[in-house]
Amino acid sequence: MTGHCPSGHLLRPAHQGSNPISDVWAIWAIELTAKYIVRAYRDPDDLEAQSNMILASSMAGMGFGNAGVHLCHGMSYPVSGMVCNYRPEGLKTDYAIVPHGMSVILNTPAVFRFTSMACPDRYLEAAGLLGAPISKTAYGLDEAGHLLASEIVRLINASAGHPQWFVSFGYTEADIPSLVDGTLPQHRVTKLSPRPASAEDLALLFKDSMRAW
């Protein structure tokens, strides 16, 4: 096996992909998020919910810090980098900004619908952890991505609601070519996608994300 090792530490992959250890952290993070995110958003003084969301964030970081992330994050960089005049409600800032969490979640439903065919059983598992009744209702594997996307949307709408997609951030379909161009160089994360995405695929994903959930 030593013949497959990198010749030096600088050539070691930054991320290893999913593995049993990263799965443990990810599952815990998803379960805590499903239980506490709505409470945490609605009540800043709910110490139990706030504390558990901080814990969930730390657990998620432990998981994807080793496994890596993919298209949702790669597509988020130009969204934040090309920001026009958007200023999040409640955030005191002297300049326009699309926070990283917002820029990632904008594309997540579309991305999960696109990538789910690579490992639909894992998408179904994640949907179940978020609250989908997969143990009581038969879902086909071809529905996995749509089901997971729907659960994410449900939690977002139950807590924060959300701006009307890219329109509220100042983007239109005319910006899609630039958004794609800003995503293509992000190989560190996009190459980890379970389903490869071409420039044409990315354009369709951004277009899909332009419309309301």
Side-chain angles (χ1 to χ4, degrees):
M1 294 297 291
T2 56
H4 298 285
C5 294
S7 59
H9 70 281
L10 293 179
L11 298 179
R12 177 186 178 276
H15 301 108
Q16 306 301 309
S18 64
N19 57 77
I21 302 302
S22 67
D23 284 354
V24 170
W25 290 112
I27 289 171
W28 283 2
I30 294 171
E31 290 177 332
L32 283 177
T33 298
K35 184 175 182 180
Y36 290 107
I37 190 171
V38 175
R39 282 174 51 184
Y41 187 87
R42 291 181 175 177
D43 185 1
D45 295 322
D46 186 336
L47 186 59
E48 180 186 14
Q50 298 290 338
S51 299
N52 275 285
M53 283 307 301
I54 292 173
L55 182 58
S57 176
S58 299
M59 289 176 171
M62 293 292 288
F64 69 66
N66 181 261
V69 294
H70 59 87
L71 292 181
C72 303
H73 288 257
M75 294 171 68
S76 79
Y77 299 145
V79 173
S80 293
M82 292 169 53
V83 61
C84 301
N85 299 310
Y86 183 74
R87 288 173 171 77
E89 182 180 354
L91 180 65
K92 295 181 179 180
T93 176
D94 295 327
Y95 51 86
I97 182 174
V98 179
H100 182 59
M102 285 186 170
S103 64
V104 171
I105 202 65
L106 277 174
N107 304 295
T108 296
V111 167
F112 283 179
R113 289 190 290 266
F114 173 78
T115 57
S116 63
M117 65 174 59
C119 42
D121 55 327
R122 295 175 66 84
Y123 283 67
L124 278 180
E125 179 184 6
L129 292 171
L130 287 177
I134 60 174
S135 61
K136 299 179 180 179
T137 306
Y139 288 97
L141 292 180
D142 58 336
E143 300 177 84
H146 291 275
L147 184 62
L148 178 55
S150 295
E151 284 303 308
I152 292 171
V153 170
R154 178 184 63 79
L155 283 175
I156 294 293
N157 288 336
S159 54
H162 209 278
Q164 292 299 311
W165 288 84
F166 279 83
V167 174
S168 293
F169 290 87
Y171 295 111
T172 68
E173 289 192 14
D175 296 303
I176 289 178
S178 295
L179 291 167
V180 171
D181 287 344
T183 303
L184 288 173
Q186 312 301 333
H187 293 177
R188 178 181 62 87
V189 291
T190 58
K191 296 301 183 184
L192 294 173
S193 174
R195 179 183 176 187
S198 65
E200 291 75 18
D201 292 327
L202 291 171
L204 290 174
L205 289 173
F206 276 117
K207 184 176 182 179
D208 191 23
S209 300
M210 289 282 172
R211 66 170 186 258
W213 278 321

